[in-house]
């Protein structure tokens, strides 16, 4: 209730689950107008997140949503915003947002492929490589799944890459 209501100890409560090892570097709770009520980092109570794509998408969602990578308003670092709408008496009343560091995601991916010949990466919907655990010697993989569950690309140096596409944005992640 303290976080849902944005009460006086809400900011302190949001500081405890921050876990840099997993990439979560900040939490915030904003009201239905986009104004931050509390956060794990210092914030200006007069600012608003309304009009920022990750917040606007989050309040339109009926459940969890994941943003495209952005520079966090509070963190000032590249993050992915993971949002959960808050409801009070059946009415949407803002968001709880976890800011996940892209560096943290990259560390996690690197641990997952360590000791293998694999490279893991995150690519935007339009094929832009946002981060990877190693050198990807190709420009744009096919992202719409039309190449099948396992696709092959030939890079400019002649090397062949096999890849799979798994959606990680917005509600597909959940």
């Amino acid at each position: 209730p303290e976080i849902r209501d944005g009460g006086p100890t809400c900011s302190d409560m949001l500081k405890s689950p921050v876990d840099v090892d997993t990439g979560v570097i900040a939490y915030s709770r904003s009201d239905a107008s986009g104004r931050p009520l509390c956060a794990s980092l210092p914030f200006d109570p007069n600012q608003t997140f309304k009009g920022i794509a990750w917040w606007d998408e989050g309040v339109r969602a009926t459940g969890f949503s994941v943003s495209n990578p952005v520079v966090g308003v509070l963190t000032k670092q590249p993050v992915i915003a993971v949002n959960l709408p808050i409801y009070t008496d059946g009415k949407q009343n803002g968001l709880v947002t976890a800011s996940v560091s892209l560096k943290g995601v990259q560390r996690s991916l690197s641990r997952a492929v360590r000791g293998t010949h694999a490279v893991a990466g995150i690519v935007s919907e339009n094929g832009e490589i946002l981060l990877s655990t190693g050198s990807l010697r190709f420009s744009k993989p096919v992202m719409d799944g039309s190449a099948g569950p396992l696709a092959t690309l030939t890079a400019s140096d002649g090397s062949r890459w096999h890849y799979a596409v798994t959606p990680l944005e917005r509600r597909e992640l959940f």
Side-chain angles (χ1 to χ4, degrees):
E2 189 68 16
I3 293 172
R4 181 194 63 221
D5 299 337
T9 63
C10 177
S11 288
D12 290 334
M13 293 181 79
L14 289 176
K15 289 176 186 173
S16 63
V18 170
D19 186 353
V20 176
D21 287 339
T22 62
V24 179
I25 58 174
Y27 287 96
S28 63
R29 164 70 167 99
S30 54
D31 66 15
S33 69
R35 190 176 59 85
L37 299 176
C38 54
S40 60
L41 294 174
F43 66 95
D44 176 356
N46 296 313
Q47 76 183 96
T48 182
F49 301 140
K50 189 174 184 168
I52 301 173
W54 63 262
W55 191 88
D56 292 347
E57 290 172 8
V59 295
R60 285 193 303 268
T62 56
F64 278 103
S65 66
V66 180
S67 76
N68 285 316
V70 297
V71 173
V73 175
L74 302 179
T75 66
K76 310 291 189 246
Q77 297 178 34
V79 297
I80 297 171
V82 180
N83 303 300
L84 177 64
I86 300 297
Y87 291 88
T88 305
D89 299 324
K91 185 177 177 184
Q92 206 272 18
N93 189 19
L95 300 174
V96 170
T97 302
S99 297
V100 181
S101 164
L102 287 182
K103 288 180 183 178
V105 172
Q106 186 160 7
R107 276 194 308 272
S108 180
L109 287 174
S110 293
R111 283 192 297 267
V113 299
R114 188 177 295 136
T116 70
H117 295 289
V119 175
I122 295 184
V123 182
S124 70
E125 291 171 319
N126 67 2
E128 176 188 355
I129 298 167
L130 302 173
L131 60 91
S132 71
T133 60
S135 174
L136 298 176
R137 295 184 297 262
F138 54 83
S139 58
K140 282 193 169 188
V142 177
M143 298 304 297
D144 64 7
S146 63
L150 187 62
T152 302
L153 278 175
T154 301
S156 58
D157 65 1
S159 62
R160 290 174 50 88
W161 290 76
H162 302 286
Y163 69 96
V165 175
T166 302
L168 292 176
E169 295 187 49
R170 298 177 183 80
R171 59 184 180 274
E172 290 94 351
L173 183 61
F174 303 95

